Amino acid sequence: MSQLILNLDKLRHNIRFLSRHCREHGLGITGIIKDPCADQIIINQMMALGFENIGISKVPKNPAAKPVFSKRPIYITLPSIHELPDIVRYFGTSFNSEITVIEQLNQTAIAMNCSHSILLMVDTGDLREGVMPEQVLDTVREIHRIRPRNINFAGIGTNLGCCAGTLPDEHNLGIISELADQIEYTLDIEVKTVSVGGSVLLKWLQQKPLPGRINNIRLGESLFLGTIPTINQVHPDLDTRVATFTSDILEIQEKRVMPPQLCGKDALGTLPEFSHQGIRKRAILNFGICDTCPSGLTPIIPGIQIVSVNSNYTLADITDCTHPLKVGDFIDFTMNYQAFLQSLISPFTQIRYLE
Ligand SMILES: *Cc1c(COP(=O)(O)O)cnc(C)c1O
């Protein structure tokens, strides 16, 4: 039985710290959850403790059945032209970069008699979604030319530290801030939101405020793991122990570990390794890639080494573990973000809240 244990006190600590810290820098926070079916408990904590909104990266399977937000959340992925009605129904705002999609979103919003806001994404160097900075004015002009227009141009946004590992600097942050001014001066169109993400921006905020016009920050990983991605650092003011993965031992046997005579690849196509050979104490743990990302887990007690992973098992060498372990015992792990996300979305991993 696999569980993702979420410590709500520690989560609240992180939410409170980030709310205060970002407010001091004039920033509203969009709390990022990659799971559209995310438990309401997490979202409630974020909204109750000062976050401005929630950003979600997937369209829920049944958007009509879950109007659970007091405020419609933000769709932080580019809308697929095949899913526009669901996006307009469920989300108040979406991130966009393609004028043809924006036109269709507008048609959809008109047909549904619904309002919908868009944030124009700008590629400031991380090579993720977005128009190039020099195309921004023309694109905003085109958006405003759409008639009749039900969609509302809410502002601009950019991503850092995601695809190219681009760190925030004066240059890329300056681009997005100056573009907001240019749109207002040149086109006389209000830019309400200037949004940057994700948690990599926290490194910058440890030293100084973000340039002028930036007024929204999107944070995901740091909330749950207390870490700053891209530079792989722990944030000194955040708690790293919000989330723990735990699962039980199904088998403990002494095995003769040696390379087979005829050796191919394992179930997942990786070449098996036999770092410790001879008689070894091996444990089979009750999870695999259906439940989490096993390679992103680190056992909290020492002496446990993950040696093989498949769809439903994770095999560990426990020969060097001094803790007395037996079948049925639970082993706790810390997680990287990939393991956290995959356990959060797996239907087989139960989420347990610790008060
Ligand atoms: C996931 C995501 C974020 C959050 O990034 P973290 O580094 O996890 O804080 C922000 N913006 C967008 C568009 C995202 O997809």
Side-chain angles (χ1 to χ4, degrees):
M1 181 174 64
S2 299
Q3 292 185 331
L4 172 65
I5 302 172
L6 293 173
N7 184 312
L8 289 179
D9 271 341
K10 294 181 190 299
L11 177 65
R12 277 191 288 266
H13 167 85
N14 287 354
I15 295 175
R16 279 201 190 96
F17 168 76
L18 290 169
S19 286
R20 185 161 23 89
H21 181 51
C22 292
R23 199 177 321 116
E24 282 164 9
H25 287 294
L27 298 168
I29 301 181
T30 300
I32 302 298
I33 302 195
K34 308 284 186 193
D35 174 14
C37 309
D39 202 294
Q40 198 55 22
I41 293 175
I42 302 177
I43 292 165
N44 286 346
Q45 305 290 335
M46 293 185 191
M47 295 306 284
L49 299 174
F51 280 19
E52 195 177 303
N53 208 332
I54 301 297
I56 289 178
S57 61
K58 289 277 169 196
V59 181
K61 281 224 177 81
N62 187 359
K66 263 201 139 205
V68 285
F69 300 82
S70 55
K71 202 171 177 177
R72 281 195 300 163
I74 300 173
Y75 189 54
I76 57 160
T77 305
L78 298 175
S80 154
I81 213 149
H82 307 291
E83 298 180 311
L84 298 182
D86 284 347
I87 287 160
V88 169
R89 188 174 302 123
Y90 194 74
F91 298 98
T93 304
S94 59
F95 287 4
N96 288 269
S97 64
E98 291 289 342
I99 194 75
T100 51
V101 178
I102 295 171
E103 282 163 356
Q104 290 231 28
L105 256 181
N106 184 53
Q107 289 304 319
T108 309
I110 290 172
M112 294 172 67
N113 196 19
C114 216
S115 68
H116 188 80
S117 295
I118 57 168
L119 225 66
L120 180 65
M121 294 307 277
V122 184
D123 179 4
T124 53
D126 197 43
L127 305 178
R128 228 181 95 125
E129 77 275 77
V131 300
M132 297 308 285
E134 57 274 21
Q135 294 166 344
V136 168
L137 286 181
D138 280 348
T139 310
V140 176
R141 204 177 279 126
E142 268 186 89
I143 293 168
H144 260 254
R145 258 192 224 127
I146 299 176
R147 291 279 186 283
R149 191 160 46 83
N150 241 34
I151 44 158
N152 167 44
F153 170 77
I156 51 179
T158 197
N159 259 300
L160 292 167
C162 187
C163 292
T166 309
L167 293 172
D169 60 24
E170 300 282 354
H171 177 69
N172 50 37
L173 294 173
I175 291 176
I176 196 82
S177 180
E178 279 159 30
L179 278 170
D181 284 339
Q182 279 179 26
I183 294 169
E184 293 192 347
Y185 294 149
T186 316
L187 305 178
D188 196 24
I189 292 170
E190 189 193 4
V191 181
K192 238 188 258 155
T193 305
V194 181
S195 176
V196 294
S199 297
V200 69
L201 269 311
L202 292 176
K203 180 68 190 170
W204 176 283
L205 283 181
Q206 283 177 303
Q207 276 117 38
K208 51 191 152 174
L210 292 168
R213 293 297 306 266
I214 300 172
N215 60 8
N216 175 272
I217 183 169
R218 304 184 305 273
L219 301 173
E221 174 170 329
S222 50
L223 280 168
F224 299 102
L225 300 187
T227 43
I228 307 177
T230 313
I231 52 168
N232 288 334
Q233 281 179 13
V234 166
H235 193 291
D237 299 302
L238 293 176
D239 201 312
T240 56
R241 290 293 181 87
V242 173
T244 308
F245 185 86
T246 191
S247 194
D248 56 319
I249 302 175
L250 300 172
E251 175 190 293
I252 296 179
Q253 299 280 340
E254 310 238 295
K255 304 267 166 139
R256 272 182 300 281
V257 176
M258 57 180 168
Q261 292 255 292
L262 292 170
C263 188
K265 302 202 169 147
D266 69 13
L268 301 183
T270 358
L271 210 50
E273 279 177 36
F274 304 89
S275 47
H276 292 101
Q277 299 191 15
I279 303 294
R280 304 290 297 180
K281 201 194 255 185
R282 287 278 183 98
I284 297 185
L285 309 176
N286 194 6
F287 62 90
I289 60 165
C290 295
D291 311 276
T292 183
C293 169
S295 60
L297 297 177
T298 308
I300 291 175
I301 55 171
I304 298 177
Q305 190 199 353
I306 293 178
V307 290
S308 179
V309 169
N310 57 50
S311 59
N312 45 336
Y313 289 159
T314 293
L315 278 64
D317 190 308
I318 57 166
T319 318
D320 301 329
C321 184
T322 52
H323 281 254
L325 292 173
K326 58 179 190 308
V327 167
D329 284 354
F330 280 84
I331 297 189
D332 292 347
F333 299 84
T334 60
M335 288 177 277
N336 69 11
Y337 199 49
Q338 192 180 349
F340 170 76
L341 279 186
Q342 287 180 211
S343 17
L344 188 72
I345 63 178
S346 166
F348 310 110
T349 299
Q350 184 197 345
I351 301 178
R352 203 175 98 215
Y353 294 98
L354 277 190
E355 266 302 340

